[in-house]
Amino acid sequence: MLKKYIQALLSIVIIALAHPCHIQADEVSEAVAAAKKSPKNQKLNRRAAEALLHAGEKAEAITYFLKSDNRGNLDAAELCFELYDFERAGELLDKYLSKRTKEQKALDSQYIPQWGEDETDYTEVLRHRINLGISMLDRVEKIAVIDSVNVPAEDFLNFYRLARTAGRLRPDTRVERLLPRGWLASQGLSTISPAAFESEAGDYVMFAATDEESGLSSMYETYQLADGRWINPEKIFDYASIFGKETGMTVDFPFLMPDGVTLYFAADGEDSLGGLDIFVSRRGDESYLQPSNAGMPYNSPANDYMLAIDEVNGTGWWVSDRNGLADSVTVYTFIPSADMRVNYPADTPGLADIARLTSISLTHDGMNTSAMLQKITDATDAAAENETAVELSLPDGRVITSIEGFSNARARKAMTEYVKACNIMAANRRQLEQLRAQYGSGDHSLSFRILSLEEEINRQSRELITLRNNVVRAELGDKVK
């Protein structure tokens, strides 16, 4: 379910980004050679451009698109947009429009944005995105991105290592256990976001859910009462109510800061540079205020979401699919600005490469990021080892949050064994995360260790199911159905 949701959600891309795919090198070489041999042949130049584009060579593809037909100017404008060359993208769009035929205009006008139902001129959408990119490039936040790791899209939550005081990011299965039976269907909702926010105390949850008929998502919150029951979730906002317009469909991936006021979330729509962008809002007296785009380097022409900040360890994370790899996303770890947002001067050399994160080292400014990352890892490991909180949902509707909450000694002993096994598996997951990062940096000798550890984690996952069932049987006895 989680994988299916992520794949559907990440299809939200307003500009048709061209992702690399498998293509034979000799096919590219052959197409390029033919174009060079006949430099005025528009069809051969388009064939070479498309071959380079499918091979992931976007910058090289631009040259050949410009030697093809007028449509090539629009293709080149799109690629310049993706490469953060926004000024040139605008110039090429102007060139395309100056030569656009009636047939091309009719085709462009059939474009339907992801968030809407009405046809619109695609060039107007692209123009808006280009102007938004130019504006964002003038205010790139100065942060240090100290790590980036490509992970399966459905596993990204495992790479956030928040201190308990920052709250928790919970999967959809956790939220579903809190909901009254049949609540989703009664509200006309079909899907819950794969990542919900839970408060430090575990008595507050914020999540997104999608309307089955319209496809619109809304943000909800629910509280735990003193007797352990959870209230029916209340709708906080949807896209139209928080943005004040109906140019988007999706609000998702919430993270509420410990101040209980500042909210980060993801949304699509005309205020997004890509598909999903990260936004920040603040809770007012009665509702959340008009959001503002978090800007660069967080947002890109791709999908960016789930920004979370751990103030205790001075660390933040967000996810992006700007890497262009199928079923994979990049989790970025960064050091936020200390007190307030600090931007790079607009005339900073190589600012577009910094904003695009062509290399995270561009953001380091002489810092020893290896030592910094190790310090953060040690701190979060220590926090995990000292974690005493317990949580288990029982079939009778209770959610036990401490070992003392179980009614008999046998259940408490079984729960202690379950928690110990959970901690061991969590430690193995952290080790696997580190090994994958090292593998991604070029140390391919770790492949056997990674595979072995993955098998061990799968075995532990099956064992956890048995241990959890032992706890439930010990607590409920004959009441277990």
Side-chain angles (χ1 to χ4, degrees), residues 41 56 105 136 155 205 212-213 232-233 237 296 302 317 346 352 354 358 402 459 472:
N41 188 310
K105 182 177 181 179
M136 284 188 180
D155 289 342
V205 172
E212 187 171 19
E213 184 174 343
N232 283 341
F237 59 80
M296 297 176 180
W317 297 263
I354 295 173
T358 54
S402 68
R459 185 196 64 78
V472 174

Side-chain angles (χ1 to χ4, degrees), residues 266-333:
D268 60 1
E270 67 174 14
D271 292 331
S272 296
L273 182 66
L276 291 177
D277 267 22
I278 297 166
F279 290 82
V280 58
S281 178
R282 287 172 176 79
R283 190 191 293 268
D285 293 336
E286 297 181 357
S287 62
Y288 279 92
L289 306 178
Q290 177 87 20
S292 59
N293 192 298
M296 297 176 180
Y298 309 107
N299 293 319
S300 72
N303 292 292
D304 302 273
Y305 53 100
M306 200 65 264
L307 187 145
I309 296 177
D310 178 352
E311 292 181 313
V312 172
N313 293 313
T315 314
W317 297 263
W318 87 91
V319 177
S320 177
D321 68 353
R322 68 185 75 182
N323 60 26
L325 301 175
D327 299 325
S328 171
V329 295
T330 300
V331 178
Y332 290 101
T333 306

Side-chain angles (χ1 to χ4, degrees), residues 186-200:
S186 70
Q187 302 297 310
L189 301 173
S190 58
T191 312
I192 294 177
S193 169
F197 170 80
E198 182 182 86
S199 64
E200 175 187 0

Side-chain angles (χ1 to χ4, degrees), residues 5 35 65 316 416 445:
Y5 183 96
F65 273 128
T416 301
S445 66

Side-chain angles (χ1 to χ4, degrees), residues 342-358:
V342 177
N343 295 335
Y344 286 94
D347 59 354
T348 300
L351 185 58
D353 286 329
I354 295 173
R356 188 178 161 204
L357 294 177
T358 54

Side-chain angles (χ1 to χ4, degrees), residues 23 48 79 91 95 99 161 203 254 258 271 273-274 306 328 342 376 389 395 411 426 473:
I23 185 169
L79 291 179
E91 294 170 359
K95 186 176 180 181
K99 299 179 180 180
R161 307 177 67 183
D203 55 0
D271 292 331
L273 182 66
M306 200 65 264
S328 171
V342 177
I376 292 169
R473 280 192 290 268

